[in-house]
Amino acid sequence: MPHIPKLDLFLEVNRQQIKDLSHKLGKDIGLQDKRQIKGLRLLLCNMYVQGQRQVMVSRRKQSLGGKRYNPLGIGYRAIISSLDALQKNGYIIQEKGSHNEGTMTTMESTDKLIQWFNDTGWSDDRIDKRVGSYVTLRESRKQNDNTVYVDFDDTKYSKWLGERIRQYDQLLSSCRIVLSDEDSKLKKFTVQRKFISHKNTSNNMEFAFGGRMPGPWVNLSSELRKNITINGEPTVELDRDASHLNAMYQVVTGAPYPYDDDPYHIVVDGCEVPRHISKNFSSFMQGSKSPKGAAHSVINHYKREALEVKSPKEEDIKKYEEYVEFKNEVKPTDIAKAILDKHPKVANYYNRGKAYGDLISCWESDIVFEVVMELTKRGIPCLTVYNSFIVPLQYKDLVESMKDTTPYVDRRGVLKEILK
């Protein structure tokens, strides 16, 4: 399935001539309000950048966010009215999403709109990428299935981090990144680290939960990601070994898991636990409140992947069936206990609840970002997919040598307090 990008709220034209022509188009298709015209320009910028690809856009009647997340101050009414006017006049194909089916609305340029772009002289250099913030903060829980972003005052850490992400973003923007054989160069996207807000956090902990840095490539399957090229070169994707678990070891002990065996290899009453099962238990215990709660999360995870998606992967169905059979032989809580027994050095940091799980995720994302910063210093482009790195093939050995040994650095200065 091809990658469908989301509406980018950070794009705006930078020539008065293009603004005037866009304003005329708006009037011609029935838009009157200046806010509608501004929303129209945003849609036009996105469709020009994406060419003939679809773009996902929300028609939900909710704020698109504050200035950090929506620097042009676009309102949902302007988006909806512009979408409908463009469709009515034959400039786009709009497929409306369904809340019940969990799908988003998509828009796609028609030949009529592409001809309009050509006739009015649009070009890449006539579109600017605005930056509201390289750092985002959202509520830990959604409201009516919608993500809620939080405005915040910059801290010393967020300013430092924003500058490092800016350097990384500029490096990627200078590269030709192609997501698949059919795609043109990926254009004008903004890299951000996305943090989660938890209430009652202490100073310097505002940006210590979550912190992943997803780009347009993360929604591609692992097979499709193999087609990514950077500056015309083939790439390779390299995963951190036992990433979440090793992040705990790196933070708590200062070094990765120290033994030669697989950290996910456990045996319960003579039964070897399939690796995917022990790995899921280890992962879900990081955000659970008890082994029993982790077991509940694990079975729900298997059900979602195998039973609650439209086209489940055969591999996910097999894993679900294997787990259902295995848990009839071995109690799930015994699997959880075996993991704690195998990892006594970090056992006390499991089962501390959702916020602590998001904290551990941030430890992992911090280590990933340390690798990204080092590669950026060397001018080496790198795309991250949670705990993996996509780099030009020529840098495979270098990244292999860095990805599991790069240490955690306490950039916020709060680690000792956390580990008490």
Side-chain angles (χ1 to χ4, degrees):
M1 180 178 179
H3 166 69
I4 302 178
K6 293 182 180 180
L7 184 73
D8 190 336
L9 297 175
F10 293 81
L11 302 181
E12 173 63 295
V13 297
N14 60 15
R15 298 287 197 280
Q16 188 61 46
Q17 177 191 12
I18 299 297
K19 285 187 177 183
D20 293 342
L21 291 167
S22 300
H23 187 273
K24 182 179 184 305
L25 175 64
K27 294 293 185 181
D28 291 344
I29 63 177
L31 301 178
Q32 302 296 326
D33 191 286
K34 290 182 179 180
R35 292 168 293 186
Q36 292 177 330
I37 301 298
K38 189 161 63 169
L40 172 66
R41 286 204 307 272
L42 178 70
L43 296 182
L44 292 174
C45 286
N46 274 266
M47 286 184 284
Y48 180 80
V49 165
Q50 297 302 335
Q52 293 182 303
R53 291 196 298 177
Q54 290 181 318
V55 178
M56 286 194 293
V57 57
S58 174
R59 291 180 62 95
R60 288 173 176 163
K61 295 179 180 179
Q62 66 176 53
S63 169
L64 301 182
K67 191 172 182 179
R68 286 183 180 275
Y69 313 111
N70 180 13
L72 299 174
I74 306 294
Y76 68 81
R77 291 184 181 88
I79 294 295
I80 293 172
S81 58
S82 297
L83 281 170
D84 292 343
L86 285 166
Q87 180 187 37
K88 181 179 178 180
N89 290 272
Y91 286 97
I92 66 169
I93 298 169
Q94 178 184 197
E95 294 184 12
K96 293 182 180 180
S98 167
H99 176 74
N100 292 335
E101 295 179 6
T103 58
M104 285 188 69
T105 295
T106 61
M107 62 179 181
E108 182 179 356
S109 299
T110 62
D111 290 341
K112 182 177 181 179
L113 180 57
I114 292 172
Q115 185 61 52
W116 182 84
F117 282 137
N118 291 334
D119 292 344
T120 52
W122 281 60
S123 59
D124 288 345
D125 62 356
R126 298 192 173 193
I127 299 176
D128 280 339
K129 180 181 70 176
R130 302 288 182 92
V131 177
S133 178
Y134 289 111
V135 176
T136 72
L137 188 65
R138 66 170 176 83
E139 295 283 0
S140 59
R141 293 185 178 181
K142 292 184 176 182
Q143 294 182 11
N144 299 319
D145 291 329
N146 300 325
T147 299
V148 179
Y149 285 97
V150 180
D151 281 324
F152 59 85
D153 294 325
D154 269 313
T155 66
K156 182 179 179 180
Y157 172 75
S158 70
K159 290 178 181 178
W160 171 87
L161 179 61
E163 174 58 23
R164 299 310 180 279
I165 300 176
R166 183 190 66 79
Q167 295 169 9
Y168 171 59
D169 183 67
Q170 286 186 337
L171 174 61
L172 294 190
S173 295
S174 71
C175 296
R176 178 180 173 81
I177 302 171
V178 177
L179 298 186
S180 72
D181 295 337
E182 293 78 25
D183 286 333
S184 60
K185 176 181 180 290
L186 189 63
K187 303 174 184 177
K188 298 185 186 297
F189 62 94
T190 300
V191 176
Q192 296 172 316
R193 279 194 72 183
K194 300 178 179 292
F195 293 91
I196 301 169
S197 174
H198 284 281
K199 295 180 180 179
N200 302 320
T201 56
S202 58
N203 291 337
N204 297 323
M205 292 289 288
E206 299 93 336
F207 309 100
F209 303 92
R212 284 176 168 172
M213 194 166 56
W217 45 85
V218 299
N219 293 323
L220 297 178
S221 68
S222 57
E223 283 301 310
L224 286 177
R225 292 199 297 268
K226 293 178 181 178
N227 297 323
I228 293 175
T229 60
I230 300 178
N231 294 330
E233 297 183 53
T235 60
V236 61
E237 183 169 353
L238 305 171
D239 292 315
R240 273 174 45 85
D241 293 335
S243 186
H244 268 59
L245 183 54
N246 264 321
M248 295 175 74
Y249 270 94
Q250 285 171 277
V251 171
V252 175
T253 72
Y257 178 71
Y259 307 109
D260 292 334
D261 68 319
D262 181 354
Y264 292 124
H265 180 263
I266 57 172
V267 178
V268 179
D269 295 332
C271 295
E272 184 173 327
V273 179
R275 190 178 192 275
H276 67 90
I277 295 176
S278 61
K279 183 177 180 180
N280 275 323
F281 266 89
S282 176
S283 177
F284 282 106
M285 280 200 299
Q286 291 172 341
S288 67
K289 291 185 177 180
S290 67
K292 187 176 180 180
H296 183 70
S297 296
V298 168
I299 186 61
N300 284 343
H301 166 75
Y302 281 115
K303 285 181 178 178
R304 282 194 302 271
E305 296 296 308
L307 305 179
E308 298 175 10
V309 297
K310 287 185 177 179
S311 301
K313 297 178 183 177
E314 184 177 343
E315 179 185 8
D316 291 330
I317 295 174
K318 288 181 178 179
K319 286 180 178 180
Y320 168 66
E321 293 173 345
E322 185 175 23
Y323 178 65
V324 169
E325 183 177 349
F326 190 80
K327 75 183 185 70
N328 290 329
E329 299 178 17
V330 177
K331 290 173 58 178
T333 51
D334 288 344
I335 299 173
K337 183 177 182 302
I339 292 173
L340 298 177
D341 290 343
K342 183 179 178 72
H343 300 288
K345 292 182 179 180
V346 298
N348 288 336
Y349 302 96
Y350 281 109
N351 298 317
R352 290 192 176 192
K354 178 65 168 62
Y356 213 90
D358 289 337
L359 178 66
I360 295 171
S361 292
C362 198
W363 294 348
E364 179 193 44
S365 65
D366 283 347
I367 295 169
V368 167
F369 193 64
E370 291 293 328
V371 176
V372 168
M373 284 194 294
E374 180 57 34
L375 293 175
T376 300
K377 288 179 185 177
R378 303 185 189 198
I380 300 172
C382 165
L383 314 180
T384 63
V385 183
Y386 305 130
N387 61 355
S388 68
F389 307 89
I390 299 173
V391 293
L393 191 58
Q394 62 174 305
Y395 300 113
K396 178 181 178 180
D397 291 343
L398 171 65
V399 178
E400 282 278 16
S401 70
M402 297 170 60
K403 65 183 179 66
D404 299 310
T405 58
T406 295
Y408 175 83
V409 180
D410 181 18
R411 300 286 184 184
R412 301 170 189 81
V414 294
L415 188 57
K416 289 182 179 179
E417 187 67 25
I418 292 172
L419 297 181
K420 282 184 180 179

